[in-house]
Amino acid sequence: QEAYDVLSDPEKKELYDQGGKEAVERGGGGGGGQDDLFSALFGQQRSGRQSRGPQKGESVVHKLQVSLENLYNGKTFKMSVSRQRVKYPEGMSAQEASSICKTCGGQGIVLKTQRMGPMIQQVQARCPDCGGQGKSFKDGVSVFQEKKTLEVRVDPGMKHGQKIVMAGEAD
């Protein structure tokens, strides 16, 4: 009966063709309007917050020179890496320890406008307050350099240019 009602009414049929059963039940609006379009494209919920997990640091790539013999037979190499680490005071979580930079709004970059005679030039530059991080740390939080030796295993038969991913070992 419901299908007959939709198909017999030209307006309801058009709504159904554009947005499915939900559009007919709501009386129009397609798949939820612009809010749902933006949430589908940019991952935003109706509250305006982005639905993503904890922010990761950028991937770091280290090139390793390996001989043909080591590619064929396999070998484990030791590699020393230096990376930034953050130490939080006791009882403070990572979310409480940092806040979004007010200067760049969390983007890590600012636009600088320069006037050159009759022309105006806009240049992107790293944010001077947060150093391009997009966030600033509260008092008591320390950022330090850590040196770590990683063991990189080249398996027998690996190809030239093949990547070895070591999860969680970057900054």
Side-chain angles (χ1 to χ4, degrees), residues 54-62 82-85 107-109 126 131-135 166-171:
Q55 190 173 2
K56 299 188 312 182
E58 283 188 37
S59 297
V60 177
V61 177
H62 293 282
S82 178
R83 56 194 181 168
Q84 271 191 335
R85 290 292 182 206
Q107 297 296 315
I109 56 168
R126 180 180 289 194
Q133 296 289 319
K135 59 186 173 185
M166 306 188 89
E169 296 296 340
D171 286 343

Side-chain angles (χ1 to χ4, degrees), residues 42-64:
F42 301 113
Q44 290 186 339
Q45 299 168 342
R46 289 193 187 266
S47 65
R49 292 185 181 167
Q50 290 190 354
S51 58
R52 62 179 190 192
Q55 190 173 2
K56 299 188 312 182
E58 283 188 37
S59 297
V60 177
V61 177
H62 293 282
K63 294 199 179 220
L64 185 64

Side-chain angles (χ1 to χ4, degrees), residues 8 16 29 34 101-102 114 121 123 136-137 140 145-146 155:
S8 62
Y16 185 85
Q34 290 179 336
C101 177
K102 291 178 177 66
Q114 297 175 344
Q121 179 183 22
V123 180
S136 57
F137 292 106
Q145 290 288 330
E146 176 189 68
D155 293 325

